[in-house]
Amino acid sequence: MLRKAVGELPSPEFPAYSTPLDTPLSEAKVAIVTTAGLKHRGEVELWQPGDGSYTVIPSSERDLQLSHFSPNFDRSGIAADLNVVYPIDRLHDMADAGIIGSVAERHLSFMGAQFDFASIIQDSAPRAAQELVDDGVDVVIFVPV
């Protein structure tokens, strides 16, 4: 029933492009943007359909909870290892190994399963991107959930 309801919703299309890095990856500051709908533990409010906002996650924060409104996916991997949807420990491993320069101080979580992208495209995504630019982030790893 759900697949039938959302299976034919239009998806935004974006032109393909690439942007070469000005900084070698071994010197780059890297951030994560996930669509897991993560919130800080204790924030009991679930994301609501159409909520295009995002949560800012400090790099040291691990006490996060999945607050996604949709029950329609397997959450067992997330319960076993947060890195499935927010690979922050792997990012720190990469920095320790010299593969990347550093881990950003802040990361972002949106809620996936959006039906209307207008508010994200016009409002929250540009604000989120500017926050990352202001933090000196060179590379973003996008983790869709």
Side-chain angles (χ1 to χ4, degrees), residues 13-21 121 125-126 129 133 138 140 142:
E13 294 190 25
F14 303 99
Y17 67 94
S18 63
T19 304
L21 285 176
I121 292 169
V133 167
D138 299 298
V140 173
F142 182 65

Side-chain angles (χ1 to χ4, degrees), residues 32-100:
I32 297 169
V33 174
T34 180
T35 62
L38 300 175
K39 291 199 175 202
H40 307 282
R41 189 156 312 277
E43 290 182 80
V44 294
E45 184 178 315
L46 293 177
W47 295 84
Q48 296 302 309
D51 183 349
S53 66
Y54 56 91
T55 299
V56 176
I57 305 170
S59 187
S60 60
E61 176 72 52
R62 298 295 183 283
D63 196 15
L64 300 166
Q65 63 188 26
L66 184 76
S67 298
H68 204 291
F69 83 91
S70 175
N72 297 309
F73 60 94
D74 182 357
R75 298 163 183 246
S76 58
I78 301 163
D81 185 359
L82 181 64
N83 285 277
V84 170
V85 296
Y86 177 59
I88 189 67
D89 296 325
R90 302 301 73 81
L91 205 57
H92 281 283
D93 291 345
M94 293 172 69
D96 292 344
I99 297 168
I100 63 172

